[in-house]
Amino acid sequence: MNVKFLNNVVSVFVVLVIAFLIIPLGTGMLDFLLILNLALSLVILLITMYIKEPLEFSIYPSLLLITTLFRLVLNVSSTRAILSNSGYAGEVIKTFGQFVIGGNIVVGLVVFIIIVLVQFLVITKGSERVAEVSARFTLDAMPGKQMAIDADLNSGLIDENQARERRSKIQREADFFGSMDGASKFVKGDSIISIIVTLVNLIGGIGVGFLGGQGDIQTIINTYAIATVGNGLMSQIPALLISVATGMVVTRSASEANLNTDVIQQFMGQPTALMIAGAGLPFLAFIGFPPLQLFLMSAVLFALGFILLRRNRAALQTVEEGPAVIEEVTSEVNYYKNLNNVYDLLNVDPISVQVGYSLLPLVDEGSGGNFLDRVVMLRKQFADNMGMVIPSLRLSDSSELNPNQYQINLRGEALAVGEVLVDHYMGLAPNDILESDEIDGIETVDPAFGMPAKWISDDKRIKAEMAGYTLIDPTSVIITHLSEIVRVHAYELLTRQEVKRMVENLKKTNEDVVNDTIPSVISLNDLQRVLRGLLKEGIPIIDLEIILETLSDYSPTVKDNDMLIEYVRQALKRTITHRYSEAGQLKVLSLDSNIEDVIIKGLKKIEGGTYLNLPPDMIQKIMQRTKEEVDKVGKLVQTPIILTSPVVRIYFKRLLDQFYPNITVLSINDVDTNVQILALGNIGI
């Protein structure tokens, strides 16, 4: 069998069907295609009765278009044959027409009209309405279903792959019912065109027969009436089957079995209803109904209901006579019987975001929210800038938060909480704004940087922009806050597994440096510590090749990780300088030599490394002088930078972090030679 041909059989079929609009068909070929149309419609109807849910027959909207087009083409071909062959369009149409008319033209036409009206007014109209409502309800329910999936994911009932499959299924359901809403119009149009074609065949055929002298008027009417009714029924019977199939699809809810099984099980589950119906039927005999048929149907229903009722009671009694204690096992209990599923509860998300219910439109893609897309771009930007990939972010709603609140968690613990208004913009006023230009709004504070701001409503947006306000939409506020949290705590997110992945990625371009360094020179554990030390001070680790080469040079003789970090910083001095310099200048505060001498004298060496041991009063003096000098230059520089000698940098930075963690400390070796150092002050005792 030619598999390639089978792959293209539908395309070939559609092209041939369109060609048949122009190419005249012989009566033999027309008979075959009419039978094919009837068989195809019957198969489609049976398929719709055996599927468990609509998505199992997701091609149905497209199939509906193809079958409708096929019937229209057959209508055109049969009409051409009827009008050009003196009312003969093949044996199928002739046989069908003679069988239905049965010697009475009026009866045949009435039967045909009733079938058309039943299809058009009852089945097609109902299917169209159900498809329309299903499409609307499916779209409206998408946000709730998405959040339910997230809730199951957060509770551990499903994993990431299952959540992805469920989200995909929800999207496909929305697309399917939306397509069905439009595709059902094809069947409606087919019913209308069938009535028109019938009138054309009957009236046109009588006219052609009369003008062509094909016999007396009675013979002509009889000939073309048979052809018209036969052709109409051979078109409408398949159309009726397709209409019923459409109704089956759009009214089919998700189930564990097919329609036949469901009908039998659910009817058999209500034996009392069958018995009541059986007992009520005989009373219709008092108003003239035939008693034989009534009592026969009544006996069948009552007996069936009685048998089912006894069977259900016997089954219930068997259960009651079983074990004394019957434990009701819920789906949750069944799930956690698997020990691996219990271990899933021990997993901690590296980073997650929880939102109140008012913020759901911002994070739900079905409601037009682009939060997840923004997270993807944040991950790309952070990888470009820092050389580290932000791990997967877990997003969920929380009833414990206020409606407008969001919470950023790190390793399962709340790290930051913010509040945004969905229908407002956060406005940051310019420094030189006039009192007359101030915009009314809700006072707030920028959660990422702590700057005073206002929540400005959308109707005041243009006025605020003209006044010089910087407007930030709610999603950007959350993303900015998240990016700051990630930047500050990136070193905590760098796991050993991520370091291993980074090393494997470097292997693709420079396998030699990896094989020469890890694990013979430095272990993966020590490499992680070095990289974390760099990230903790905001130094990018994107040039992992240089970092490994530097560690390969110094690790054999230097066993102190702090000193290894300093050597790596020296190798990355061009990156560090570019990060903190402006227009070729590096504005700094210098650390006086007397403070450096105090720090050097206070260093204590132990087996695990070196630590700083200073008297509390000396620490207080140093910090006080540092604060005074930093405050002086606060208006000149955005990020204060203190320049020290290489020996004391790491220890002074650790001392400073206890009081002022946002101050950058560089050593002379961290600065590239082609930049100009501009000292704004000196920190001394």
Side-chain angles (χ1 to χ4, degrees):
M1 183 177 290
N2 194 333
V3 178
K4 291 185 178 180
F5 173 76
L6 291 178
N7 291 337
N8 299 301
V9 65
V10 176
S11 302
V12 173
F13 178 76
V14 172
V15 172
L16 287 176
V17 166
I18 296 175
F20 289 157
L21 279 171
I22 304 172
I23 302 173
L25 296 176
T27 54
M29 176 61 71
L30 187 59
D31 285 343
F32 173 77
L33 293 179
L34 288 171
I35 295 173
L36 173 63
N37 183 32
L38 182 62
L40 184 62
S41 303
L42 183 59
V43 169
I44 292 174
L45 174 62
L46 293 175
I47 289 176
T48 60
M49 296 179 67
Y50 280 92
I51 60 175
K52 297 178 182 178
E53 55 183 15
L55 287 182
E56 291 185 19
F57 204 21
S58 58
I59 63 166
Y60 187 74
S62 300
L63 200 59
L64 195 60
L65 172 60
I66 294 174
T67 54
T68 303
L69 178 63
F70 189 31
R71 286 196 304 275
L72 293 177
V73 169
L74 292 180
N75 256 329
V76 171
S77 298
S78 59
T79 298
R80 180 188 291 116
I82 289 172
L83 297 180
S84 59
N85 294 337
S86 302
Y88 180 72
E91 290 299 319
V92 171
I93 291 177
K94 178 181 177 181
T95 302
F96 221 145
Q98 289 176 343
F99 175 77
V100 173
I101 288 179
N104 193 325
I105 297 176
V106 176
V107 172
L109 290 174
V110 169
V111 170
F112 170 73
I113 292 173
I114 290 175
I115 292 176
V116 172
L117 292 178
V118 166
Q119 180 200 344
F120 180 67
L121 297 178
V122 180
I123 301 176
T124 303
K125 196 69 176 177
S127 300
E128 179 185 357
R129 180 57 179 166
V130 172
E132 179 183 351
V133 174
S134 299
R136 186 185 307 132
F137 283 4
T138 302
L139 290 173
D140 291 343
M142 279 187 67
K145 290 182 178 179
Q146 294 278 9
M147 298 311 300
I149 293 172
D150 292 337
D152 288 346
L153 182 62
N154 294 335
S155 62
L157 295 177
I158 59 176
D159 56 25
E160 290 284 354
N161 293 332
Q162 291 172 318
R164 192 177 301 111
E165 290 176 2
R166 290 191 183 183
R167 292 191 187 99
S168 175
K169 182 178 179 181
I170 291 173
Q171 184 62 50
R172 288 189 294 119
E173 280 182 351
D175 295 340
F176 177 80
F177 284 110
S179 299
M180 284 301 301
D181 184 22
S184 60
K185 306 295 191 300
F186 298 145
V187 182
K188 179 181 178 181
D190 183 35
S191 301
I192 297 174
I193 200 67
S194 295
I195 298 174
I196 297 175
V197 170
T198 300
L199 294 175
V200 169
N201 287 337
L202 184 60
I203 299 174
I206 293 174
V208 169
F210 183 74
L211 295 176
Q214 298 177 6
D216 59 89
I217 189 66
Q218 183 65 32
T219 303
I220 294 174
I221 292 176
N222 186 65
T223 300
Y224 283 98
I226 292 175
T228 298
V229 172
N231 177 59
L233 289 177
M234 278 308 298
S235 173
Q236 284 307 297
I237 294 299
L240 180 63
L241 296 177
I242 293 294
S243 296
V244 174
T246 303
M248 289 286 186
V249 169
V250 297
T251 57
R252 191 87 171 104
S253 59
S255 174
E256 296 297 327
N258 57 55
L259 180 64
N260 300 283
T261 304
D262 282 347
V263 169
I264 294 173
Q265 288 180 349
Q266 294 177 26
F267 265 88
M268 291 176 65
Q270 302 294 335
T272 305
L274 297 177
M275 294 176 65
I276 293 175
L281 278 179
F283 291 97
L284 296 177
F286 293 105
I287 62 174
F289 275 48
L292 178 61
Q293 291 87 338
L294 276 177
F295 284 109
L296 179 61
M297 181 58 65
S298 174
V300 170
L301 290 177
F302 193 87
L304 180 61
F306 182 75
I307 293 172
L308 292 176
L309 185 62
R310 289 190 60 183
R311 193 185 70 172
N312 292 348
R313 287 178 177 176
L316 182 61
Q317 185 177 2
T318 302
V319 173
E320 291 175 348
E321 293 175 354
V325 179
I326 299 178
E327 180 182 0
E328 182 180 354
V329 181
T330 64
S331 59
E332 185 177 9
V333 172
N334 282 330
Y335 181 80
Y336 288 117
K337 281 183 177 179
N338 187 341
L339 196 60
N340 293 328
N341 295 334
V342 180
Y343 276 102
D344 291 340
L345 297 176
L346 305 182
N347 296 332
V348 178
D349 297 318
I351 187 167
S352 60
V353 176
Q354 294 177 305
V355 297
Y357 69 83
S358 293
L359 305 186
L360 292 181
L362 297 180
V363 300
D364 179 38
E365 293 180 345
S367 301
N370 63 343
F371 182 81
L372 294 179
D373 293 338
R374 298 286 297 275
V375 170
V376 171
M377 296 310 298
L378 171 62
R379 182 178 290 116
K380 174 185 177 299
Q381 182 182 4
F382 196 80
D384 287 340
N385 294 340
M386 298 300 296
M388 172 188 163
V389 178
I390 301 173
S392 298
L393 181 142
R394 177 69 59 85
L395 183 64
S396 63
D397 63 330
S398 175
S399 59
E400 297 179 0
L401 297 175
N402 292 336
N404 295 320
Q405 278 188 331
Y406 64 90
Q407 179 175 290
I408 302 174
N409 303 319
L410 191 70
R411 299 288 178 191
E413 298 295 334
L415 196 64
V417 177
E419 188 169 355
V420 296
L421 300 181
V422 175
D423 52 350
H424 288 66
Y425 290 87
M426 177 176 284
L428 302 176
N431 295 328
D432 56 348
I433 188 170
L434 300 177
E435 186 176 350
S436 58
D437 291 335
E438 288 189 2
I439 306 297
D440 293 334
I442 303 172
E443 298 291 340
T444 187
V445 175
D446 177 20
F449 304 105
M451 295 184 294
K454 289 182 179 180
W455 285 112
I456 299 173
S457 58
D458 189 51
D459 58 335
K460 299 177 182 177
R461 176 182 177 183
I462 298 178
K463 183 179 179 181
E465 289 177 343
M466 295 179 63
Y469 278 81
T470 301
L471 299 183
I472 308 172
D473 62 90
T475 303
S476 296
V477 173
I478 303 176
I479 288 293
T480 304
H481 195 185
L482 177 63
S483 66
E484 281 300 299
I485 294 295
V486 170
R487 182 186 64 81
V488 174
H489 297 275
Y491 70 99
E492 297 183 55
L493 297 172
L494 185 65
T495 61
R496 198 163 301 172
Q497 182 180 4
E498 179 61 24
V499 174
K500 184 177 181 181
R501 189 178 291 119
M502 293 167 60
V503 171
E504 292 296 328
N505 185 61
L506 178 61
K507 257 188 178 181
K508 299 175 183 177
T509 56
N510 194 338
E511 186 176 358
D512 292 338
V513 70
V514 174
N515 294 335
D516 293 344
T517 308
I518 300 173
S520 57
V521 177
I522 186 171
S523 66
L524 202 65
N525 182 23
D526 289 334
L527 176 60
Q528 180 192 15
R529 292 177 183 174
V530 171
L531 296 179
R532 278 186 165 184
L534 295 172
L535 288 173
K536 191 172 183 179
E537 295 193 46
I539 306 302
I541 59 173
I542 191 169
D543 198 347
L544 188 60
E545 183 176 353
I546 292 297
I547 294 174
L548 287 182
E549 289 179 353
T550 305
L551 293 175
S552 178
D553 293 338
Y554 291 98
S555 288
T557 56
V558 179
K559 301 303 179 183
D560 188 344
N561 284 329
D562 293 335
M563 295 308 300
L564 287 176
I565 292 174
E566 294 303 309
Y567 284 123
V568 172
R569 289 174 64 98
Q570 294 175 26
L572 298 175
K573 62 181 179 180
R574 186 178 294 108
T575 301
I576 297 174
T577 303
H578 180 265
R579 192 171 188 82
Y580 295 108
S581 63
E582 296 180 6
Q585 289 185 338
L586 187 65
K587 300 176 182 179
V588 300
L589 289 170
S590 60
L591 190 64
D592 195 81
S593 59
N594 55 7
I595 294 182
E596 292 190 350
D597 291 339
V598 170
I599 293 175
I600 292 174
K601 291 177 181 179
L603 295 178
K604 302 295 181 182
K605 290 187 178 181
I606 57 176
E607 185 178 352
T610 305
Y611 72 96
L612 181 62
N613 184 19
L614 292 179
D617 58 337
M618 181 56 68
I619 294 176
Q620 185 177 0
K621 288 180 182 179
I622 295 175
M623 291 299 102
Q624 183 178 354
R625 287 292 298 129
T626 302
K627 183 178 184 305
E628 291 174 358
E629 292 299 324
V630 169
D631 290 342
K632 287 181 182 179
V633 301
K635 294 183 179 180
L636 300 177
V637 293
Q638 184 176 2
T639 304
I641 301 174
I642 299 176
L643 192 64
T644 72
S645 64
V647 180
V648 303
R649 192 208 72 84
I650 184 65
Y651 307 107
F652 181 71
K653 173 61 177 173
R654 288 179 180 173
L655 179 64
L656 199 61
D657 281 346
Q658 300 178 34
F659 303 92
Y660 311 110
N662 295 325
I663 298 178
T664 301
V665 180
L666 303 179
S667 75
I668 293 295
N669 291 345
D670 293 339
V671 182
D672 198 10
T673 55
N674 61 1
V675 70
Q676 180 184 1
I677 299 176
L678 183 61
L680 302 179
N682 182 61
I683 303 173
I685 301 176

